[in-house]
């Protein structure tokens, strides 16, 4: 999985992952009106809005990016219909040849962790295997330690899937736990060392593990330190754009070959039409394409 992701970043010359995190407020009014008329004021109407919105964006940007990252919470709040929209979005992205990072942030132990691992391992029913979610990688919370990670590692090795584990997140209150000092080191360094150690259990062939780390763009100094501390760990980087992170901040997150990270942007891309005065709302996908191209060019300016 990590080798495929790196290859697709190289092919597109673009370390951008589009966060497919729609909200009701993001949906253009013409799509809302059409779906509300067809399905009423129902969760199914919202699900159809999300599907239409996401597919429109994917049709425009799929050849320009290596991956997408749908955040499952945006969908599951609408129940079964929302989950259907999530799964249809993932399936459509896979049809487009994109790597899919399921932003699910699970974190539990024992049989519960094994069940969550079905996101990337699939499930077996009377000997038949079903890859229901079709995600190439998922995000995890490491708070419960190796017991919560181990069931996923088998899927990484057996199904060629990947993980991105929270280490230093982009949100301001992350410092309340992640920056606590323990024996002279911040907690995020301990998390980094664990992720590096776990990563040794499932290495790719391009120098990086299938187990990556979430390292935010909004803490430049910490990110640079973590790059040195985790030389074989691929970074998923949130916080670019709308949260304040810049390409210049990320210059030293890249390795010496201009690799090692993929940078997420969600509303800065998928809701770009709301700020782009050169497009109409019916051209929402065109605005997303323009935002992807601008982000690509911005990041290329600091890749080594």
């Amino acid at each position: 999985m990590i080798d495929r992701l790196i290859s697709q970043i190289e092919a597109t010359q673009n370390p951008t992952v589009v966060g497919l995190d729609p909200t009701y407020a993001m949906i253009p009014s013409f799509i809302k009106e059409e779906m509300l008329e067809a399905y009423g004021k129902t969760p199914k109407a919202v699900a159809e809005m999300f599907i239409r919105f996401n597919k429109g964006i994917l049709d425009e940007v799929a050849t320009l990016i290596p991956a997408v990252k749908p955040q499952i919470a945006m969908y599951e709040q609408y129940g079964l219909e929302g989950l259907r929209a999530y799964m249809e979005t993932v399936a459509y992205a896979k049809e487009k040849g994109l790597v899919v990072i399921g932003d699910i942030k699970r974190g539990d132990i024992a049989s519960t962790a094994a069940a969550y691992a079905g996101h990337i391992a699939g499930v077996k029913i009377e000997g038949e295997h079903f890859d229901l979610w079709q995600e190439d990688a998922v995000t995890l919370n490491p708070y419960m330690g190796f017991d919560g990670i181990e069931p996923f590692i088998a899927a990484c090795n057996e199904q060629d899937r990947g993980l991105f584990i929270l280490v230093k997140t982009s949100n301001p209150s992350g410092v309340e736990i992640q920056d606590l000092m323990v024996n002279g080191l911040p907690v995020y360094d301990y998390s980094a060392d664990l992720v590096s150690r776990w990563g040794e259990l499932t290495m790719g062939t391009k120098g990086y593990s299938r187990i990556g780390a979430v390292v935010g763009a909004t803490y430049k100094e910490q990110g640079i330190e973590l790059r040195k501390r985790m030389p074989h760990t691929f970074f998923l980087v949130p916080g670019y754009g709308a949260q304040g992170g810049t390409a210049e901040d990320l210059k030293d997150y890249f390795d010496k070959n201009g690799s090692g990270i993929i940078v997420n942007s969600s509303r800065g891309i998928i809701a770009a039409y709301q700020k782009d005065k050169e497009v109409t709302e019916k051209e929402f996908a065109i605005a997303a394409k323009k935002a992807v191209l601008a982000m690509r060019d911005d990041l290329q300016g600091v890749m080594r």
Side-chain angles (χ1 to χ4, degrees):
M1 169 268 163
I2 194 62
D3 293 343
R4 286 186 284 120
L5 178 59
I6 292 170
S7 293
Q8 291 189 205
I9 292 172
E10 292 171 348
T12 58
Q13 285 296 291
N14 188 6
T16 296
V17 56
V18 174
L20 292 175
D21 308 344
T23 65
Y24 190 82
M26 284 182 191
I27 304 300
S29 59
F30 77 97
I31 296 178
K32 283 182 182 175
E33 291 166 6
E34 180 181 332
M35 299 309 169
L36 289 172
E37 182 177 349
Y39 303 105
K41 298 176 182 179
T42 63
K44 184 172 183 177
V46 179
E48 294 297 331
M49 292 175 200
F50 284 6
I51 293 167
R52 171 86 170 274
F53 184 66
N54 290 342
K55 285 185 174 181
I57 290 171
L58 287 170
D59 286 343
E60 286 293 334
V61 307
T63 61
L64 303 173
I65 58 172
V68 293
K69 184 179 70 64
Q71 165 52 256
I72 200 168
M74 300 301 183
Y75 302 84
E76 65 186 11
Q77 64 181 316
Y78 294 102
L80 292 176
E81 288 291 346
L83 286 174
R84 178 176 63 83
Y86 178 88
M87 296 175 83
E88 287 197 26
T89 294
V90 171
Y92 197 69
K94 296 289 286 184
E95 288 176 18
K96 295 286 187 179
L98 295 168
V99 171
V100 176
I101 302 169
D103 198 353
I104 65 173
K105 292 189 178 72
R106 301 299 196 245
D108 214 317
I109 59 171
S111 59
T112 309
Y116 280 141
H119 267 270
I120 55 174
V123 295
K124 288 185 177 179
I125 302 173
E126 297 293 335
E128 295 291 327
H129 182 264
F130 298 89
D131 181 13
L132 298 175
W133 296 95
Q134 299 188 58
E135 298 143 325
D136 295 289
V138 292
T139 56
L140 298 180
N141 189 322
Y143 193 77
M144 297 182 106
F146 187 63
D147 290 347
I149 307 300
E150 185 177 18
F152 293 85
I153 293 177
C156 289
N157 288 324
E158 295 169 10
Q159 305 292 333
D160 188 24
R161 303 299 168 93
L163 307 174
F164 288 97
I165 300 177
L166 304 181
V167 171
K168 177 60 181 165
T169 58
S170 59
N171 60 306
S173 62
V175 302
E176 294 174 359
I177 295 176
Q178 295 164 20
D179 286 38
L180 288 175
M181 300 300 289
V182 180
N183 296 325
L185 290 175
V187 166
Y188 65 76
D189 271 354
Y190 286 96
S191 298
D193 291 345
L194 286 171
V195 170
S196 293
R197 190 186 316 155
W198 298 335
E200 293 173 3
L201 302 174
T202 179
M203 291 295 297
T205 64
K206 292 180 178 286
Y208 284 99
S209 169
R210 292 184 182 90
I211 298 181
V214 176
V215 178
T218 50
Y219 294 99
K220 175 182 175 180
E221 292 78 11
Q222 293 91 331
I224 293 170
E225 184 245 319
L226 288 167
R227 174 76 288 158
K228 296 174 181 176
R229 196 176 191 95
M230 310 172 78
H232 301 294
T233 303
F234 209 87
F235 288 1
L236 169 61
V237 182
Y240 172 92
Q243 291 185 52
T246 68
E248 186 64 28
D249 292 332
L250 301 178
K251 179 170 62 176
D252 293 316
Y253 285 44
F254 291 98
D255 65 23
K256 63 182 180 181
N257 299 314
S259 184
I261 73 172
I262 190 164
V263 186
N264 179 74
S265 178
S266 299
R267 60 186 179 273
I269 291 174
I270 65 174
Y273 82 95
Q274 293 179 332
K275 294 185 177 180
D276 189 335
K277 299 185 184 304
E278 297 180 353
V279 301
T280 68
E281 69 165 18
K282 290 192 174 182
E283 297 172 309
F284 68 93
I286 299 295
K289 181 178 181 179
K290 289 171 62 178
V292 164
L293 290 170
M295 183 172 172
R296 179 197 66 185
D297 294 346
D298 193 31
L299 292 172
Q300 284 181 348
V302 298
M303 293 169 68
R304 300 177 188 182

